[in-house]
Amino acid sequence: MRKRSDRVAVIGVGILGAGVGWNLVRQGAEVVFIDAGQPGEGVTNWTFSWVNASNKTVRKSYFDLNVAGIAAYRELATTIGPDSWWYPSGHLRWADDPAVEAKFLRTAELLADWGYRVEVCTGAEVRRRLEPALTMPGETPVLFYPDEAWVHGRNLVGRLVGQAVAAGAEHRFGSAVRDIGTGADGSIRTVALSDGSSLDVDVVVNAAGPSASHVAGLVARPLPMRREPGVVTRISCAQVPFHRVMHAPHIEIRPDGDGSVLLHSREIDALIDTIEDPAELGRLLHASARHVVPELGDSRIVQTRVANRPIPADTFPSVGALPSVPGYYEAVSHSGITLGPVIGRLLASEILTGKRDEMLADFRPERFSP
């Protein structure tokens, strides 16, 4: 068990880093948040931010972890208040290709067998009961996942970090980690920053997202990551004409708060290497969105950004201690939005008690060790 007085450096203050740090501070740990930018302004702010388990069926343990993530959000909303960041309005999915539609329906059957709530509606029912502004054929099967949600990631990170700092956490924003020093026994001792300062620490949490492989390299730890950039566009409209996260044919759409809508598409992601101008990618996303929600025709693009997703090589999270480097922990994952609260809780507990939760058994960092 670690001493409660140990000083923990959390490197990367997106949703995962903020969740780990907030949980540590609540349990009396001394925490310093470190980020080259500002809290929640990186990938957390430029991702689709969809809280779900319906897209996580490739491995049952991963599905279970994501279900736990949804439950952890409900608990977190009760603890810190849901306003400005938590939107549990459900999720809609439909297709215009018979093969894709059949695959979605098979997945829905599997999820129902696993006890996950899903309703199969028609397009006409969805327009009548849930989202009248959509265009879709009336007979189209539409999956509705009522327990899913979207999160305003930047607002949530701000809330968590603000509470942690008010409770005594330190922060070093605007400074990148330049080096991590270890003692003769290989354990974590110091973190050196790009501003020339050095911090004495006992624990490092690598929650650096797309930079996680670089941070891991500072302790000679190989962390293979996928290169999978994604493009996200925010558009502005006088009033958002729908209420839920939606996976429509060729486009993903969700509200983004304050008269804003967020757009993403894996089909457009596939064009990133051939269309160098993000603005052109944004125009393609906007055009697709107008086909699904015609009322977005008068909206305007506010900003488009391409961000690298933090995805370990085998696509699954890397969470927990690395036994070969005492005091070094990882919190690196795609779907960080869904998993942020549950990983924050589980990893904070592991740091403070040394106990490894069975829920993380399939996602341990040592699986990447040579």
Side-chain angles (χ1 to χ4, degrees), residues 111-316:
L111 290 164
D113 287 343
W114 286 353
Y116 196 70
R117 290 209 300 162
V118 55
E119 302 173 20
V120 182
C121 312
T122 66
E125 289 172 334
V126 167
R127 290 201 307 270
R128 183 175 66 251
R129 187 163 62 93
L130 299 174
E131 298 288 2
L134 303 186
T135 59
M136 61 177 73
E139 68 282 359
T140 295
V142 182
L143 302 180
F144 177 49
Y145 294 98
D147 295 328
E148 297 185 349
W150 68 272
V151 163
H152 196 296
R154 190 179 72 249
N155 288 354
L156 173 56
V157 168
R159 181 81 57 89
L160 294 174
V161 171
Q163 288 194 4
V165 169
E170 302 174 64
H171 60 82
R172 300 287 192 279
F173 300 139
S175 290
V177 172
R178 183 172 51 82
D179 195 19
I180 298 174
T182 56
D185 62 352
S187 63
I188 298 295
R189 288 288 180 267
T190 59
V191 172
L193 302 182
S194 58
D195 64 5
S197 64
S198 181
L199 307 172
D200 293 328
V201 300
D202 306 283
V203 174
V204 159
V205 177
N206 180 358
S211 300
S213 184
H214 169 72
V215 171
L218 298 177
V219 295
R221 180 292 198 270
L223 176 57
M225 304 278 285
R226 295 168 68 98
R227 180 185 178 273
E228 196 165 311
V231 58
V232 167
T233 288
R234 282 187 166 90
I235 60 176
S236 176
C237 48
Q239 184 173 355
V240 177
F242 59 94
H243 307 284
R244 293 166 178 82
V245 181
M246 298 184 292
H247 278 68
H250 318 296
I251 187 74
E252 303 165 15
I253 311 174
R254 69 163 174 82
D256 196 45
D258 300 325
S260 182
V261 171
L262 190 136
L263 309 176
H264 172 252
S265 167
R266 291 193 175 273
E267 295 176 22
I268 305 300
D269 285 351
L271 303 176
I272 288 173
D273 289 338
T274 55
I275 299 178
E276 295 184 1
D277 182 8
E280 177 60 24
L281 297 170
R283 286 190 286 270
L284 292 172
L285 287 166
H286 195 197
S288 290
R290 291 197 299 265
H291 284 300
V292 179
V293 187
E295 289 182 42
L296 296 178
D298 294 331
S299 59
R300 64 180 182 86
I301 295 175
V302 176
Q303 193 173 8
T304 300
R305 182 172 298 182
V306 175
N308 286 315
R309 307 300 187 211
I311 309 178
D314 64 0
T315 75
F316 293 109

Side-chain angles (χ1 to χ4, degrees), residues 2-15:
R2 293 201 164 272
K3 304 184 299 295
R4 190 58 61 93
S5 59
D6 279 355
R7 191 183 195 196
V8 182
V10 177
I11 301 173
V13 192
I15 185 61

